[in-house]
Amino acid sequence: MSFTPVQKVNAYEIIVGQIEQAISDGTYGAGDRLPSERALMTDFGVSRATVREAMRVLQATGVIESRPGDPRGPVITAFSPRVLEKSMAKLAQLDSVSRVELLQFRLLLEGQASLLAATERTDDELAEIASRGEDIVDLADQPDVRFGERVNRFHQAIRRASHNQMLEICGNVVGGVMTEMIDRRLTSETDRSARVRTSARDARARRGDPRRARPRGRRDLDGEHLPLLRR
């Protein structure tokens, strides 16, 4: 028989876990107040410092809202897209998530965003997509301009035109991380101008129709992007 190593858990982490579980099972809902600091100290049998550390973590992750000096307990906050965005950003920057995994996820997001944008976009949003495509085309003659940021703005316009908040949030997080990666890698490209011209041609072909901005899948991964993201 093999045993699992015992992991040391701080008291405040146990408090955080129990409160999150109480919210998950419906004991507490948005707008409800947790017990006061003193009551939590009694309930959990811990010091004031431990309770405050747990509240700090819960507030930082968007679970509660607490005002200094308020004698009442912290308020459970309603779910916010900002909370998801912060969690996604942390996940995307973990060392355990590879660059290829990020790119694969982005291809899925951008593909679906493009399909939705093709039917849901307004005329103004289509004009914005075309304008962002023109920005990339301009890079063909300006290879020193930040390449990744221009490409990311093009795809941001498409995600906004999809009118799907989840696609926009997840895509913005992953796109932001990859923008930094690609720009760093481009600094070591032997022919940066050629790489920029390739993307400019692609943007020129796609800028008037969001469906054309849908990634081509494995061909994109192997041909255009993957060389920039290899470790």
Side-chain angles (χ1 to χ4, degrees), residues 99 185 222 225-231:
R99 295 167 182 175
R185 292 298 297 168
D222 289 335
H225 300 290
L226 188 57
L228 294 174
L229 298 175
R230 291 191 184 280
R231 295 188 182 279

mmCIF file of all heavy atoms in Angstrom, residues 99 185 222 225-231:
data_model
loop_
_atom_site.group_PDB
_atom_site.id
_atom_site.type_symbol
_atom_site.label_atom_id
_atom_site.label_comp_id
_atom_site.label_asym_id
_atom_site.label_seq_id
_atom_site.Cartn_x
_atom_site.Cartn_y
_atom_site.Cartn_z
ATOM 1 N N ARG A 99 3.052 26.845 -24.855
ATOM 2 C CA ARG A 99 2.725 27.834 -25.882
ATOM 3 C C ARG A 99 1.861 27.225 -26.971
ATOM 4 O O ARG A 99 0.970 27.888 -27.521
ATOM 5 C CB ARG A 99 4.022 28.390 -26.465
ATOM 6 C CG ARG A 99 4.827 29.176 -25.447
ATOM 7 C CD ARG A 99 6.234 29.451 -25.936
ATOM 8 N NE ARG A 99 7.003 30.164 -24.919
ATOM 9 C CZ ARG A 99 8.282 30.451 -25.029
ATOM 10 N NH1 ARG A 99 8.952 30.084 -26.111
ATOM 11 N NH2 ARG A 99 8.911 31.091 -24.072
ATOM 12 N N ARG A 185 9.576 36.838 -29.808
ATOM 13 C CA ARG A 185 10.206 35.905 -30.740
ATOM 14 C C ARG A 185 10.605 36.595 -32.035
ATOM 15 O O ARG A 185 11.620 36.264 -32.649
ATOM 16 C CB ARG A 185 9.249 34.749 -31.046
ATOM 17 C CG ARG A 185 8.994 33.829 -29.880
ATOM 18 C CD ARG A 185 10.258 33.141 -29.419
ATOM 19 N NE ARG A 185 10.820 32.285 -30.452
ATOM 20 C CZ ARG A 185 12.020 31.741 -30.409
ATOM 21 N NH1 ARG A 185 12.802 31.982 -29.380
ATOM 22 N NH2 ARG A 185 12.451 30.961 -31.379
ATOM 23 N N ASP A 222 1.184 24.922 -37.901
ATOM 24 C CA ASP A 222 2.478 24.450 -38.386
ATOM 25 C C ASP A 222 3.223 25.493 -39.204
ATOM 26 O O ASP A 222 4.436 25.628 -39.120
ATOM 27 C CB ASP A 222 2.293 23.198 -39.259
ATOM 28 C CG ASP A 222 1.902 21.985 -38.428
ATOM 29 O OD1 ASP A 222 2.222 21.980 -37.234
ATOM 30 O OD2 ASP A 222 1.275 21.062 -38.971
ATOM 31 N N HIS A 225 2.364 30.292 -37.306
ATOM 32 C CA HIS A 225 2.524 30.683 -35.900
ATOM 33 C C HIS A 225 3.512 29.850 -35.112
ATOM 34 O O HIS A 225 4.267 30.381 -34.316
ATOM 35 C CB HIS A 225 1.163 30.641 -35.193
ATOM 36 C CG HIS A 225 0.151 31.555 -35.791
ATOM 37 N ND1 HIS A 225 0.237 32.908 -35.679
ATOM 38 C CD2 HIS A 225 -0.979 31.286 -36.505
ATOM 39 C CE1 HIS A 225 -0.789 33.476 -36.292
ATOM 40 N NE2 HIS A 225 -1.540 32.509 -36.799
ATOM 41 N N LEU A 226 3.469 28.541 -35.285
ATOM 42 C CA LEU A 226 4.263 27.668 -34.433
ATOM 43 C C LEU A 226 5.746 27.999 -34.417
ATOM 44 O O LEU A 226 6.370 27.980 -33.355
ATOM 45 C CB LEU A 226 4.040 26.203 -34.823
ATOM 46 C CG LEU A 226 4.675 25.165 -33.889
ATOM 47 C CD1 LEU A 226 4.173 25.370 -32.452
ATOM 48 C CD2 LEU A 226 4.340 23.758 -34.341
ATOM 49 N N PRO A 227 6.363 28.340 -35.580
ATOM 50 C CA PRO A 227 7.801 28.685 -35.521
ATOM 51 C C PRO A 227 8.100 29.838 -34.586
ATOM 52 O O PRO A 227 9.189 29.939 -34.039
ATOM 53 C CB PRO A 227 8.115 29.053 -36.979
ATOM 54 C CG PRO A 227 7.109 28.304 -37.777
ATOM 55 C CD PRO A 227 5.856 28.351 -36.940
ATOM 56 N N LEU A 228 7.134 30.732 -34.372
ATOM 57 C CA LEU A 228 7.355 31.872 -33.484
ATOM 58 C C LEU A 228 7.220 31.508 -32.024
ATOM 59 O O LEU A 228 7.654 32.265 -31.146
ATOM 60 C CB LEU A 228 6.340 32.975 -33.795
ATOM 61 C CG LEU A 228 6.463 33.645 -35.173
ATOM 62 C CD1 LEU A 228 5.296 34.612 -35.375
ATOM 63 C CD2 LEU A 228 7.782 34.366 -35.311
ATOM 64 N N LEU A 229 6.602 30.359 -31.737
ATOM 65 C CA LEU A 229 6.270 30.019 -30.350
ATOM 66 C C LEU A 229 7.075 28.863 -29.814
ATOM 67 O O LEU A 229 6.858 28.448 -28.682
ATOM 68 C CB LEU A 229 4.761 29.704 -30.243
ATOM 69 C CG LEU A 229 3.846 30.876 -30.593
ATOM 70 C CD1 LEU A 229 2.403 30.431 -30.574
ATOM 71 C CD2 LEU A 229 4.048 32.014 -29.612
ATOM 72 N N ARG A 230 7.929 28.295 -30.609
ATOM 73 C CA ARG A 230 8.742 27.180 -30.114
ATOM 74 C C ARG A 230 9.650 27.668 -29.008
ATOM 75 O O ARG A 230 10.140 28.780 -29.020
ATOM 76 C CB ARG A 230 9.584 26.579 -31.240
ATOM 77 C CG ARG A 230 8.757 25.836 -32.287
ATOM 78 C CD ARG A 230 9.665 25.045 -33.200
ATOM 79 N NE ARG A 230 8.927 24.397 -34.258
ATOM 80 C CZ ARG A 230 8.252 23.287 -34.136
ATOM 81 N NH1 ARG A 230 8.185 22.694 -32.959
ATOM 82 N NH2 ARG A 230 7.594 22.759 -35.152
ATOM 83 N N ARG A 231 9.881 26.789 -28.054
ATOM 84 C CA ARG A 231 10.739 27.169 -26.926
ATOM 85 C C ARG A 231 12.200 27.302 -27.385
ATOM 86 O O ARG A 231 12.628 26.613 -28.252
ATOM 87 C CB ARG A 231 10.642 26.105 -25.821
ATOM 88 C CG ARG A 231 9.238 26.058 -25.224
ATOM 89 C CD ARG A 231 9.227 25.141 -24.024
ATOM 90 N NE ARG A 231 7.907 25.019 -23.452
ATOM 91 C CZ ARG A 231 7.360 25.913 -22.632
ATOM 92 N NH1 ARG A 231 8.043 26.965 -22.289
ATOM 93 N NH2 ARG A 231 6.150 25.736 -22.141
#
